[in-house]
């Protein structure tokens, strides 16, 4: 079987997968995506994402399973992403509206996740490097990136409590809302990511 580079697979996935769409950058702001991995950020999560059936361990479509935290759900049935396997998506919901999405996974191919986000959201608005010291005494350098979106932010970094994992957090109390009164450009339809 011929070897295909991760970049080629990543490019092909973005070109072919219908759940991903291009977003445009307005100055330092990125148009907030309207969907992420098949989860509509502007709709009624509870009505649009059904509960997972107990007998279906690998659903074909997004479905939800309640976690131990109130208002938090694991979303299963995610589409394939050309990043390290084992990624999971968690949605925090208030009155049916998604207020935060967290994609988490194995940090072994961290650069692929950053490449995916940069391809869809453009250059990060901010980036920082910090030293994380573990209880064992070992220290590690960890990069953190932030994209500003209309009405929120996208943060990407290693999990400081478990450096073997990363998290991409889409957060806002107004995910999917229009730009505020002092907007610098006309509102456009939100892309999906």
């Amino acid at each position: 079987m011929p070897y295909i580079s991760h970049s080629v697979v990543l490019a092909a996935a973005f070109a072919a997968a219908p759940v991903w769409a291009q977003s445009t950058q307005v100055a330092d702001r990125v148009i907030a995506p309207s969907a992420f991995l098949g989860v509509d950020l502007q709709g009624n999560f509870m009505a649009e994402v059904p509960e997972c059936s107990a007998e279906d361990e690998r659903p074909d479509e997004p479905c939800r399973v309640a976690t131990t935290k109130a208002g938090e759900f694991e979303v299963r049935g995610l589409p394939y992403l050309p990043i390290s396997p084992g990624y999971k998506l968690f949605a925090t919901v208030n009155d049916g509206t998604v207020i935060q999405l967290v994609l988490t996974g194995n940090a072994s191919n961290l650069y692929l996740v950053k490449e995916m986000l940069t391809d869809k959201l453009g250059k990060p608005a901010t980036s920082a490097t910090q030293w994380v010291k573990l209880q064992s005494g070992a220290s590690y350098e960890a990069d953190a990136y932030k994209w500003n979106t209309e009405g929120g932010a996208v943060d990407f970094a290693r999990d400081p409590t478990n450096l073997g994992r990363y998290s991409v957090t889409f957060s806002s109390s107004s995910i999917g809302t229009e730009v505020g009164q002092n907007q610098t450009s006309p509102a456009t339809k939100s892309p999906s990511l």
Side-chain angles (χ1 to χ4, degrees), residues 14-191:
F14 281 123
V19 295
W20 298 94
Q22 294 292 332
S23 66
T24 57
Q25 200 159 354
V26 180
D28 277 356
R29 290 228 172 287
V30 174
I31 295 172
S34 62
F36 182 70
L37 295 177
V39 176
D40 184 357
L41 300 175
Q42 300 172 352
N44 184 332
F45 177 83
M46 300 303 284
E48 295 170 4
V49 180
E51 285 189 61
C52 296
S53 94
E55 62 272 354
D56 192 4
E57 291 183 26
R58 295 181 159 242
D60 294 331
E61 297 292 323
C63 62
R64 63 184 155 84
V65 174
T67 68
T68 57
K69 292 182 183 177
E72 183 183 76
F73 300 89
E74 179 182 350
V75 180
R76 297 184 180 166
L78 301 175
Y80 169 77
L81 289 178
I83 57 178
S84 160
Y87 50 88
K88 293 182 176 185
L89 183 66
F90 295 91
T92 303
V93 179
N94 185 12
D95 292 328
T97 303
V98 174
I99 57 171
Q100 184 179 65
L101 279 179
V102 178
L103 176 70
T104 182
N106 187 329
S108 63
N109 288 324
L110 202 60
Y111 69 94
L112 289 176
V113 179
K114 181 182 179 278
E115 189 175 305
M116 173 184 75
L117 292 169
T118 302
D119 182 54
K120 293 294 132 199
L121 301 174
K123 184 179 173 186
T126 61
S127 63
T129 302
Q130 60 186 8
W131 282 95
V132 177
K133 188 170 185 173
L134 302 178
Q135 288 180 334
S136 66
S139 294
Y140 294 92
E141 192 174 41
D143 294 326
Y145 304 93
K146 183 174 192 147
W147 289 264
N148 295 321
T149 66
E150 295 175 354
V154 178
D155 294 286
F156 169 56
R158 283 184 186 261
D159 180 344
T161 62
N162 181 352
L163 295 178
R165 304 216 33 99
Y166 66 83
S167 67
V168 178
T169 305
F170 290 80
S171 60
S172 173
S173 58
S174 59
I175 262 183
T177 60
E178 296 296 319
V179 177
Q181 298 294 333
N182 55 357
Q183 69 186 44
T184 57
S185 64
T188 57
K189 184 177 179 194
S190 298

